Amino acid sequence: MPPVVNGGVARNKPARTSKAMRREVPLERTRNIGIMAHIDAGKTTTTERVLFYTGMTYKVGEVHDGTAVMDWMAQEQERGITITSAATTCVWRDHRINIIDTPGHVDFTAEVERSLRVLDGAVAVFDAVGGVEPQSETVWRQADKYRVPRICFVNKMDRVGADFCGTLTQIREKLKANPVAVHLPLGTEEKFCGVIDLVRMKTLRYQDDTLGANPVLEEISTEHLDEAMSRREMLIEKVCEVNDQLLQKYLHGEAIGEEEIIATLRRRTIQSVHDEEVPFVPVFCGSAFKNKGVQPLIDGVVDYLPSPADVPPVTGSAPDGNDLLQRPAADDAPFSALAFKIMTDPYVGQLAFIRVYSGVIAAGATIYNPRLRRKERIGRLLKMHANKREEIQQMSAGDIAAVVGLKSVATGDTICDQHYPLVLEAMEFPTPVITLAIEPRTKADQEKLGQGLAKLTSEDPTFQVRTDDETGQVVISGMGELHLEIIVDRLHREFGVEATVGRPQVAYRETLTKASAAEGRYVKQTGGRGQYGHVSLRVAPGQPGDGFVFRNEVFGGSIPKEFIKPVEDGVRESITTGVLAGYPIEDVTVTLYDGSSHAVDSSELAFKIAGSMAFRDAARRAAPVLLEPVMRVEVVVPEVYMGDIIADLNGRRGKVSSMEARSGAQIVNARVPLAAMFGYATELRSRTQGRATYSMHFDCYEPVPRVVSEEIVARGAY
């Protein structure tokens, strides 16, 4: 591993990118957080209440009414779901909190991925009835991946079947976390009226007539005192595990103060993602819709989640990749930032959302993009409040805002000081699993379709567009039916495109099951100089997730060095269209071990074609199989319909993995091929009189059964 070197500039020397002005809010009083959860757990409702109590909005927005500030897109308001992550800023206890509200639907998981990449902390919201649901597990793993400290909020405590302790157990068992309750619910279900604060040992009772704005602080009643004391003991034990001083106090029977508890909880929450096997998470409870428990949650964000100064310095590499560079979160360090989201705005053009990791940038400054080795000028800086914008003059370390004027910046690009170039780690996004053909209805629509698709592709890394070589159709790919439905709807509304859409198709893959070898010989004599390329290849199946691996084992110069890369390029091209039905080949190792060349006739093109021929020949001999995406499906269904639902899943080639009773309903977990899940929502509603719900997300690729595979191969590539 290359050595880590410092940022290359003295800490007290101002960055060259701009002249630093005085910060509005000190770095230590800044919080960059995301709200993440399963669909319908209450993320947007919670964010709306945060904005209301912090004075950013004068009335409470509701998701079901289409009045939520954060759900500003027409598609979001109509469907009552979050589609795109929305950023906003508020102030609480003299702290600036930058919030990103993320979608819960699996089709828009890229929004969560890129948000967590640039955030310092997160609030995980759970439905007190549903507990830890499938997408909660997905976003939790994403937070683990980027080592994001988090706190939990058990929402909907007023619903029938709400179970705070059960949700704590699920967080521990399903998410492999270390939760500690800092709150207890006061009352259950319809009698839920507030929370018991275990740190201060007080009760917060909320009044409905004031929209929960001024909760009443009371002593804990005798009815709840025993449980509160027991839970507080657990809290103190968790605190003492990492603080020897407090442990001594505890063992000697001395009282431990509120500030000591909060400071230790904060330190452990932040450090656990780096130092412990499982993240340590303080757990709050409440009902965002009923305006209960939200203010203590905002206090928890301030008390327990890190500022940019509390997290380790960001690490990147030099543009040549030889050295690792660190940038401290300081205004006097060289400027560095990551563009994590691109958005097309009808009024100002392309917006690039950036997180500043170090240094200061001002409107009109010049920045450097090391990926393109290009300098660009920043036009305007905008602080975003959902789809509303406020112009600002500068951004400092730890800030999140939008930039106007960066035309060539893409999602995941680093922008930095041209004198101190740095490349931050890029983001990885899942590959699309579903495709469909789209055709413009008129000639005028054709041009608009091209422009619209280009803009949407730049916005969404999980949305891909290609043209089918055989049919000439435009094929769009995404993460699910809803994802592509939203894309088509946006094309119509935002770009005025009238288009016809084909039936969704599954994004199959191919892979090899055994090793083989073949040679490719491309010889063409046309008078004068001809073409000559000759290669011998071995192919072997790789490990899942390895992708394409190319090895050169040619010795003795049988193939000149300048022709090795063309051979690899030829193989890479062949991999994109497999040998069974034209689908991409995954996880394959290709070894070039021999060949021959001609002093005059050999060329890069000849070896590229020879490499392609050899690979396709070897792949046909390596027992190729078709792979299909398999989804994890969770169905919540009343018990009376259980048999019907399980029979239907079995009929869709599904495998039921578990069944459990929860809150008067049955939870069926199964793994089902995506190809069999089209139209399942309608079928489920009709079989259960609309009483069942389901969620699904991508699990893995698995071999297709022989009968189905033969049918797909006979049909050919899409």
Side-chain angles (χ1 to χ4, degrees):
M1 188 175 178
V4 177
V5 300
N6 62 28
V9 67
R11 287 288 303 272
N12 59 358
K13 182 179 177 182
R16 297 190 186 203
T17 314
S18 82
K19 188 177 178 182
M21 295 181 283
R22 188 173 176 274
R23 295 181 69 96
E24 290 182 19
V25 178
L27 195 64
E28 293 72 24
R29 292 212 302 267
T30 299
R31 300 288 183 271
N32 293 318
I33 67 160
I35 313 289
M36 63 180 201
H38 185 87
I39 190 169
D40 209 29
K43 295 178 298 300
T44 302
T45 303
T46 303
T47 309
E48 292 295 320
R49 296 318 188 263
V50 170
L51 294 178
F52 176 70
Y53 294 128
T54 55
M56 289 301 297
T57 54
Y58 66 92
K59 67 175 184 177
V60 177
E62 300 292 3
V63 173
H64 58 271
D65 292 335
T67 56
V69 172
M70 304 304 281
D71 285 352
W72 56 270
M73 289 173 66
Q75 294 86 347
E76 294 176 319
Q77 293 167 356
E78 289 168 0
R79 291 168 173 79
I81 61 170
T82 303
I83 292 168
T84 182
S85 54
T88 188
T89 301
C90 60
V91 177
W92 185 256
R93 286 171 39 191
D94 295 328
H95 287 68
R96 175 189 281 171
I97 305 174
N98 298 316
I99 303 173
I100 297 181
D101 178 29
T102 64
H105 200 285
V106 63
D107 286 16
F108 311 105
T109 188
E111 293 286 336
V112 185
E113 181 87 16
R114 58 185 174 189
S115 300
L116 288 172
R117 170 68 177 81
V118 298
L119 293 171
D120 302 319
V123 177
V125 182
F126 298 95
D127 183 335
V129 179
V132 176
E133 296 170 283
Q135 189 62 10
S136 302
E137 296 180 42
T138 303
V139 297
W140 195 271
R141 283 197 300 271
Q142 289 171 313
D144 283 339
K145 175 181 171 184
Y146 294 115
R147 296 185 176 181
V148 177
R150 65 217 80 148
I151 60 176
C152 298
F153 180 59
V154 181
N155 192 24
K156 303 188 179 184
M157 287 302 307
D158 59 309
R159 284 183 60 199
V160 175
D163 185 356
F164 179 71
C165 295
T167 305
L168 276 177
T169 304
Q170 288 189 40
I171 292 172
R172 186 179 300 107
E173 292 175 355
K174 287 190 176 181
L175 302 179
K176 304 294 185 275
N178 183 7
V180 58
V182 293
H183 279 175
L184 280 180
L186 186 65
T188 56
E189 299 178 351
E190 73 275 1
K191 294 180 180 177
F192 176 71
C193 59
V195 297
I196 300 170
D197 187 334
L198 298 177
V199 176
R200 292 190 288 175
M201 288 301 280
K202 298 284 185 183
T203 293
L204 284 167
R205 193 180 295 274
Y206 291 85
Q207 311 296 320
D208 291 334
D209 55 347
T210 62
L211 293 176
N214 297 301
V216 180
L217 194 66
E218 304 173 346
E219 296 297 325
I220 301 173
S221 64
T222 51
E223 168 188 5
H224 298 104
L225 190 59
D226 288 345
E227 188 184 2
M229 292 297 291
S230 170
R231 284 284 177 182
R232 182 177 167 89
E233 282 292 308
M234 294 182 192
L235 172 66
I236 297 295
E237 285 172 13
K238 295 274 188 182
V239 167
C240 293
E241 282 175 2
V242 293
N243 191 320
D244 291 340
Q245 283 182 313
L246 295 189
L247 179 61
Q248 291 299 320
K249 281 181 121 177
Y250 177 64
L251 294 174
H252 288 93
E254 297 176 34
I256 298 175
E258 293 173 23
E259 296 303 319
E260 292 175 304
I261 294 173
I262 291 171
T264 308
L265 284 175
R266 171 184 177 79
R267 189 164 65 250
R268 190 170 186 188
T269 302
I270 296 169
Q271 290 179 353
S272 66
V273 293
H274 300 281
D275 301 341
E276 299 180 27
E277 287 186 16
V278 295
F280 177 83
V281 286
V283 183
F284 298 77
C285 64
S287 170
F289 182 61
K290 294 293 179 66
N291 311 302
K292 296 177 174 71
V294 178
Q295 297 99 319
L297 178 66
I298 317 173
D299 285 333
V301 168
V302 170
D303 289 337
Y304 303 125
L305 290 181
S307 73
D310 295 322
V311 296
V314 67
T315 302
S317 60
D320 58 11
N322 291 332
D323 291 323
L324 293 181
L325 306 171
Q326 286 189 341
R327 292 282 192 270
D331 293 349
D332 55 7
F335 171 73
S336 65
L338 187 75
F340 66 95
K341 179 178 170 108
I342 305 296
M343 191 175 92
T344 304
D345 189 285
Y347 302 105
V348 299
Q350 181 170 290
L351 288 176
F353 285 76
I354 67 169
R355 155 72 193 264
V356 180
Y357 284 99
S358 62
V360 179
I361 191 73
T366 300
I367 56 92
Y368 180 67
N369 184 339
R371 179 178 66 89
L372 300 172
R373 302 184 185 277
R374 183 185 295 176
K375 290 189 288 186
E376 284 197 81
R377 187 175 174 276
I378 286 178
R380 295 157 62 198
L381 297 174
L382 303 172
K383 186 163 71 175
M384 301 300 291
H385 182 56
N387 64 330
K388 297 181 175 62
R389 5 186 216 278
E390 174 192 339
E391 194 156 342
I392 54 178
Q393 293 307 307
Q394 76 163 20
M395 291 175 67
S396 308
D399 286 350
I400 295 176
V403 175
V404 179
L406 302 180
K407 294 182 176 61
S408 58
V409 168
T411 302
D413 277 359
T414 303
I415 59 173
C416 57
D417 188 328
Q418 59 182 316
H419 301 284
Y420 302 97
L422 165 87
V423 180
L424 298 173
E425 184 186 355
M427 290 174 276
E428 295 178 4
F429 297 102
T431 53
V433 295
I434 188 171
T435 65
L436 55 82
I438 184 167
E439 291 182 357
R441 290 186 181 172
T442 65
K443 192 74 175 173
D445 286 324
Q446 191 164 358
E447 190 175 332
K448 289 189 286 188
L449 177 66
Q451 292 172 350
L453 289 175
K455 287 182 178 176
L456 292 174
T457 308
S458 68
E459 286 186 21
D460 188 349
T462 58
F463 173 60
Q464 295 176 5
V465 180
R466 67 177 184 84
T467 303
D468 190 281
D469 294 332
E470 293 182 9
T471 63
Q473 286 181 307
V474 176
V475 177
I476 58 177
S477 308
M479 298 305 296
E481 287 182 276
L482 180 62
H483 186 196
L484 294 183
E485 184 189 318
I486 298 293
I487 290 285
V488 173
D489 192 36
R490 288 188 64 188
L491 283 170
H492 175 64
R493 295 195 196 210
E494 296 174 26
F495 303 98
V497 177
E498 296 292 336
T500 307
V501 178
R503 185 179 176 274
Q505 300 284 334
V506 174
Y508 293 100
R509 297 282 187 270
E510 296 178 19
T511 193
L512 310 179
T513 56
K514 68 178 188 182
S516 74
E519 65 175 347
R521 189 185 296 270
Y522 182 68
V523 183
K524 196 171 182 182
Q525 205 65 44
T526 55
R529 182 175 175 181
Q531 297 284 353
Y532 183 91
H534 171 221
V535 301
S536 296
L537 298 177
R538 283 194 296 268
V539 301
Q543 294 297 316
D546 282 357
F548 171 61
V549 179
F550 184 84
R551 293 180 179 144
N552 174 27
E553 292 183 1
V554 174
F555 300 104
S558 56
I559 300 178
K561 284 184 180 178
E562 64 266 25
F563 296 138
I564 302 295
K565 185 68 169 65
V567 174
E568 183 181 348
D569 292 343
V571 175
R572 281 188 184 277
E573 281 187 16
S574 297
I575 280 175
T576 59
T577 54
V579 293
L580 276 178
Y583 296 99
I585 298 178
E586 286 201 334
D587 304 325
V588 60
T589 300
V590 178
T591 305
L592 173 63
Y593 67 93
D594 200 6
S596 62
S597 64
H598 190 280
V600 178
D601 291 348
S602 286
S603 66
E604 289 187 0
L605 178 62
F607 273 94
K608 186 176 179 179
I609 295 170
S612 175
M613 291 165 64
F615 174 77
R616 296 190 73 81
D617 192 14
R620 288 189 189 96
R621 300 178 188 179
V625 295
L626 211 57
L627 301 174
E628 64 180 346
V630 176
M631 314 300 283
R632 272 205 293 163
V633 180
E634 183 183 87
V635 186
V636 182
V637 56
E639 194 161 350
V640 65
Y641 302 109
M642 272 279 289
D644 204 12
I645 293 305
I646 289 173
D648 183 52
L649 289 171
N650 290 334
R652 295 172 184 267
R653 296 194 283 124
K655 296 175 183 173
V656 176
S657 52
S658 69
M659 291 174 281
E660 60 178 290
R662 190 191 300 164
S663 306
Q666 289 288 331
I667 315 295
V668 181
N669 289 290
R671 296 171 75 253
V672 191
L674 175 62
M677 290 299 291
F678 293 136
Y680 185 64
T682 307
E683 180 73 17
L684 185 67
R685 281 196 290 269
S686 65
R687 285 176 179 265
T688 63
Q689 301 178 353
R691 293 171 64 190
T693 60
Y694 85 104
S695 61
M696 75 174 180
H697 60 281
F698 174 74
D699 188 28
C700 63
Y701 272 92
E702 287 186 357
V704 179
R706 183 184 290 273
V707 177
V708 181
S709 176
E710 287 171 356
E711 185 186 323
I712 296 166
V713 172
R715 201 166 62 227
Y718 47 81

